[in-house]
């Protein structure tokens, strides 16, 4: 184990963190979609709707991650890793599109700094979503062959 970290508990933490962040993002983006005009902002609403769908899939995957960590099932952990990679990278791309559209209208240094830092946080979050479940899956695989 790396730094004596229990990867099973890290998987629990990552699953709960993904559900909390997903719930917050879905609530915020859903409110934005509900308050906007669909006829005038159809492109913008499509991007926000894609973000909501991605977070819902990540939240469903988080439930699978928690169950997989509890049952020590490598296949369920693999499902989470694939879901986190696919939808996490998709969310990073969608966030870059959203921030680029916003920066096109409001080009200030503080907004650029916020955009850069939030992009780095999203990339680190996806890395953590994948790293610890992968390490736990690898640990379970090593235990199987011992």
């Amino acid at each position: 184990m790396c730094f004596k970290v229990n990867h099973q508990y890290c998987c629990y933490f990552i699953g709960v963190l993904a559900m909390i962040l997903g719930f917050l993002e879905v609530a915020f983006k859903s409110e934005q979609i509900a308050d906007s005009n669909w006829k005038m902002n159809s492109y913008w609403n499509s991007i926000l709707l894609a973000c909501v769908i991605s977070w819902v899939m990540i939240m469903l995957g988080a439930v699978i991650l928690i169950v997989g960590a509890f049952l020590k099932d490598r296949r369920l952990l693999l499902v989470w890793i694939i879901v986190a990679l696919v939808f996490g990278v998709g969310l990073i791309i969608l966030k870059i599109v959203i921030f680029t559209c916003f920066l096109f209208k409001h080009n200030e240094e503080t907004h650029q700094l916020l955009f850069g830092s939030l992009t780095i946080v999203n990339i680190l979050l996806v890395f953590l979503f994948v790293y610890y479940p992968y390490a736990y899956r690898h640990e379970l695989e090593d235990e199987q062959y011992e």
Side-chain angles (χ1 to χ4, degrees):
M1 286 191 211
C2 180
F3 298 116
K4 304 283 186 200
V5 173
N6 188 342
H7 291 121
Q8 185 177 17
Y9 292 139
C10 289
C11 288
Y12 294 145
F13 175 74
I14 287 171
V16 170
L17 179 68
M19 286 194 280
I20 291 170
L21 290 176
F23 177 73
L24 292 174
E25 281 277 337
V26 166
F28 180 70
K29 299 285 188 226
S30 297
E31 185 208 356
Q32 282 184 329
I33 291 171
D35 288 342
S36 69
N37 185 357
W38 273 91
K39 291 181 182 177
M40 294 182 66
N41 299 329
S42 63
Y43 178 72
W44 181 255
N45 289 337
S46 300
I47 291 175
L48 292 178
L49 191 60
C51 287
V52 168
I53 292 170
S54 295
W55 272 112
V56 167
M57 294 303 290
I58 288 175
M59 289 184 340
L60 291 174
V63 172
I64 292 172
L65 171 66
I66 292 171
V67 170
F70 181 74
L71 298 177
K72 297 182 179 182
D73 189 354
R74 292 182 330 202
R75 291 176 293 167
L76 293 178
L77 294 173
L78 181 63
V79 169
W80 164 255
I81 292 169
I82 292 170
V83 165
L85 273 176
V86 169
F87 290 105
V89 170
L91 275 172
I92 290 171
I93 292 169
L94 288 171
K95 294 274 185 174
I96 289 173
V97 168
I98 289 171
F99 287 139
T100 304
C101 293
F102 180 77
L103 285 177
F104 186 72
K105 292 180 182 176
H106 311 284
N107 195 5
E108 296 179 14
E109 292 178 9
T110 56
H111 292 140
Q112 292 172 356
L113 181 63
L114 181 66
F115 162 68
S117 61
L118 287 177
T119 303
I120 291 171
V121 166
N122 283 331
I123 291 170
L124 287 174
L125 191 64
V126 170
F127 172 75
L128 289 177
F129 278 3
V130 173
Y131 175 74
Y132 285 108
Y134 178 78
Y136 185 53
R137 185 177 188 279
H138 187 61
E139 182 181 309
L140 290 175
E141 192 172 299
D142 289 344
E143 286 178 5
Q144 180 185 9
Y145 292 120
E146 286 181 354

